[in-house]
Amino acid sequence: MIGVIRKFKTASPAVKASMALLFANLILKGISLISGPIFTRIMPADQYGIVSTFQSWQSLLTVIVTLNLSQGVFNNGMLEFKENRDQFQFSLVVITTVCTGLFLLIFEIFKTPLLNMFEIPSVMVYIMTLYFLFVPAYQFWSGRQRYEYKYKALSVTTVCIGLFSLLLGVLFVLNASSEKKAIARVCAMEGVNIAVGIIFFVIIAVKAEFKLRIDYCIYALKFNIPLIPHYMSMYILASSDRIMITKMIDTTSTAIYSVAYTVASVIQILWTSIESSLSPWIYERLDVQDKESVRKTSGQIVLVFAVFCLGCTLFAPEIMAILAPDSYKAGIYAIPAIAGGVFFTAVYSLYMRIELFYKKTTFATVASTIAAISNIILNYIFIKLFGFVAAGYTTMVCYALLALLHYMNVKKKKYDDAIDNKKILAVSIVVIVVSILISILYSHRLLRYSFILLIFLEAFINRRSIIVMLRKK
């Protein structure tokens, strides 16, 4: 332990930030995993499903209402406006404020048809509006903290948000009537985010001295508006499965699938933590034409991440048993495919990062639109035939398609020398094949445990080689 602390103290700012944020996000996900068994037991399945539907619509509408300004243009702005980052952040806050006002106006005009489409109570839409108004400010602040490798305040804030969301969520749900538990959960969950967002909304405005830079607004809009179809397609790709399960089957099936998604999202936390520090590092390396470092590091990271993805899915039945009662057991068969989809999300994001750096983003919209439409079509066909589990596999296939399309674009633009394409292709094939095999092993406990034992034995025998490889990374 002392050795680990010593290495942390002597590590580079990027490594320190990555490790600290990984630790904080793992704690946050641990809190989320603890909340899973609690809320699946104190909430009816249909109410749990309504919360999942709310989250799906919120993810999708965030792209439209906030223009997803915390993504894409943000890192570019941090790089281009080094001397005026405060004003750049404030300009983004003003844009999201205006857009949120327009959303509320449209909702009030078309309230009835929109509520019929959302299939959530109107109070949830108003909570969502407050989220759109204030939470982007927190996202801009946290994005800057990551970019500047300032991990202490961000790590503490991240953990505190998770703890307060859990504690208030349990308190609110326990004191709500059966038909109001979904609203209570959303109020607690988003109430904490909104409160934190208000604080950073004020901080950003004060630090910028309320000085709005119209040229920064124009820069951000020109950069991100062409990416809106891309981001919207990505959220459709991520959320359409749960929305379609709700409409084609029922909210109970959505609840089961959402718990399975929660298990796989543990893996997403690892990638999010890595990418938050990896992205600015890639920008810095590419800015000095150091493509070889990017190529080597990205290939190693993809390999390790693939091992982690597949390793987690081996224990899916045990994790699922802890998270939810037996009525959710069917969800385990969706976990390997969902985990495979998370892996391909990482692969696609590496190529996308190259495109964003060189500002070659036009094809991103085409690629993500193709993947999103393909996902909706495949969901419509296979959810009818095989139930909600099919949604996991259709999503994995579409994320793999998305990664392939981005690779083709980067190769066409002759920027692919910054990525180890052969290694990524080989690892991707292994992930697809092994994911399918693992789902088969769920019905054969003895074989699965034997397979796990063999992996541990192999790792123990080759432990020195593995340690040397990890140290190189």
Side-chain angles (χ1 to χ4, degrees):
M1 179 61 70
I2 295 174
V4 172
I5 295 172
R6 189 182 296 116
K7 286 182 179 180
F8 179 82
K9 289 181 177 179
T10 58
S12 67
V15 172
K16 281 184 178 179
S18 184
M19 290 175 65
L21 291 174
L22 172 60
F23 181 69
N25 282 325
L26 285 175
I27 293 176
L28 186 64
K29 182 48 64 176
I31 294 170
S32 177
L33 288 174
I34 291 171
S35 71
I38 296 173
F39 288 113
T40 53
R41 287 169 171 83
I42 65 176
M43 293 178 66
D46 63 323
Q47 291 288 297
Y48 195 90
I50 291 171
V51 174
S52 298
T53 303
F54 165 83
Q55 291 172 322
S56 297
W57 278 115
Q58 185 184 59
S59 296
L60 177 59
L61 291 172
T62 295
V63 179
I64 302 170
V65 179
T66 71
L67 305 180
N68 224 30
L69 292 174
S70 61
Q71 304 293 322
V73 71
F74 189 82
N75 281 335
N76 289 67
M78 291 291 102
L79 184 65
E80 293 198 24
F81 309 123
K82 294 178 182 178
E83 306 303 320
N84 277 314
R85 287 176 176 172
D86 290 336
Q87 271 115 29
F88 179 69
Q89 283 182 293
F90 181 64
S91 298
L92 299 185
V93 166
V94 171
I95 293 173
T96 55
T97 300
V98 172
C99 291
T100 301
L102 290 174
F103 168 76
L104 182 60
L105 178 63
I106 292 170
F107 174 71
E108 290 297 336
I109 294 172
F110 302 102
K111 190 171 184 177
T112 300
L114 286 175
L115 285 175
N116 290 334
M117 182 174 69
F118 295 155
E119 294 186 328
I120 58 175
S122 60
V123 66
M124 288 189 178
V125 180
Y126 291 119
I127 293 170
M128 202 184 293
T129 303
L130 291 173
Y131 177 94
F132 297 149
L133 182 61
F134 295 112
V135 174
Y138 166 69
Q139 293 170 340
F140 300 145
W141 173 82
S142 61
R144 182 169 174 179
Q145 298 296 299
R146 292 188 185 97
Y147 194 90
E148 296 175 349
Y149 305 129
K150 296 177 181 178
Y151 57 88
K152 293 180 181 179
L154 178 57
S155 298
V156 172
T157 305
T158 300
V159 174
C160 288
I161 289 173
L163 281 172
F164 280 105
S165 293
L166 172 60
L167 295 175
L168 287 178
V170 173
L171 182 65
F172 279 36
V173 171
L174 286 176
N175 287 280
S177 58
S178 297
E179 66 276 7
K180 298 289 185 181
K181 289 188 181 294
I183 294 175
R185 175 75 180 111
V186 168
C187 285
M189 179 173 59
E190 299 306 348
V192 174
N193 289 323
I194 292 165
V196 172
I198 291 171
I199 294 171
F200 288 108
F201 189 99
V202 174
I203 289 173
I204 289 174
V206 171
K207 287 185 71 175
E209 298 178 344
F210 295 89
K211 291 180 180 178
L212 175 65
R213 291 285 298 267
I214 301 299
D215 54 332
Y216 289 175
C217 292
I218 294 171
Y219 171 85
L221 292 172
K222 281 185 175 180
F223 193 103
N224 253 45
I225 285 178
L227 286 171
I228 293 304
H230 158 70
Y231 287 127
M232 192 163 66
S233 297
M234 288 306 302
Y235 277 104
I236 289 173
L237 188 55
S239 305
S240 64
D241 45 10
R242 278 160 285 185
I243 294 172
M244 292 183 74
I245 290 169
T246 297
K247 290 188 175 294
M248 296 175 67
I249 308 178
D250 52 37
T251 54
T252 300
S253 296
T254 305
I256 297 171
Y257 184 80
S258 296
V259 173
Y261 222 99
T262 299
V263 176
S265 68
V266 177
I267 306 165
Q268 182 69 55
I269 286 295
L270 175 63
W271 178 251
T272 301
S273 303
I274 292 171
E275 191 186 28
S276 64
S277 297
L278 181 65
S279 295
W281 179 83
I282 288 177
Y283 274 53
E284 291 171 0
R285 292 298 89 206
L286 292 178
D287 197 39
V288 295
Q289 297 299 308
D290 186 10
K291 294 183 180 180
E292 183 57 34
S293 293
V294 176
R295 174 185 172 87
K296 183 179 179 181
T297 302
S298 61
Q300 292 172 336
I301 287 174
V302 165
L303 176 60
V304 173
F305 187 63
V307 172
F308 185 78
C309 286
L310 296 174
C312 286
T313 59
L314 282 169
F315 296 96
E318 287 74 24
I319 298 172
M320 196 72 168
I322 295 171
L323 289 178
D326 287 341
S327 57
Y328 287 74
K329 187 177 180 180
I332 63 171
Y333 293 98
I335 292 174
I338 296 172
V342 173
F343 168 78
F344 284 110
T345 300
V347 173
Y348 121 78
S349 65
L350 282 176
Y351 289 110
M352 183 70 180
R353 194 58 55 189
I354 304 297
E355 292 169 323
L356 287 172
F357 176 81
Y358 290 109
K359 300 178 182 177
K360 304 294 182 181
T361 58
T362 304
F363 183 77
T365 298
V366 177
S368 54
T369 301
I370 291 172
I373 292 174
S374 299
N375 188 239
I376 292 172
I377 294 171
L378 291 175
N379 277 340
Y380 183 77
I381 295 170
F382 291 102
I383 289 175
K384 277 186 174 182
L385 294 174
F386 302 106
F388 68 85
V389 173
Y393 287 91
T394 58
T395 302
M396 180 177 71
V397 168
C398 291
Y399 274 124
L401 172 63
L402 183 65
L404 176 62
L405 290 171
H406 278 285
Y407 157 73
M408 292 169 63
N409 184 47
V410 170
K411 185 174 179 64
K412 182 180 178 182
K413 303 292 184 183
K414 301 189 185 302
Y415 297 132
D416 63 314
D417 54 342
I419 302 290
D420 193 341
N421 300 304
K422 290 183 179 178
K423 177 180 280 189
I424 288 178
L425 175 61
V427 173
S428 298
I429 293 171
V430 171
V431 167
I432 293 173
V433 173
V434 176
S435 294
I436 295 171
L437 292 176
I438 289 175
S439 65
I440 296 172
L441 288 176
Y442 290 155
S443 301
H444 307 280
R445 184 178 297 178
L446 183 60
L447 283 175
R448 182 165 59 90
Y449 287 156
S450 299
F451 186 57
I452 293 171
L453 181 61
L454 284 173
I455 291 174
F456 276 113
L457 286 173
E458 184 69 21
F460 180 77
I461 293 169
N462 297 286
R463 63 189 182 281
R464 291 182 181 176
S465 300
I466 294 171
I467 291 171
V468 170
M469 181 183 70
L470 291 174
R471 280 177 177 171
K472 287 181 180 179
K473 288 171 177 45

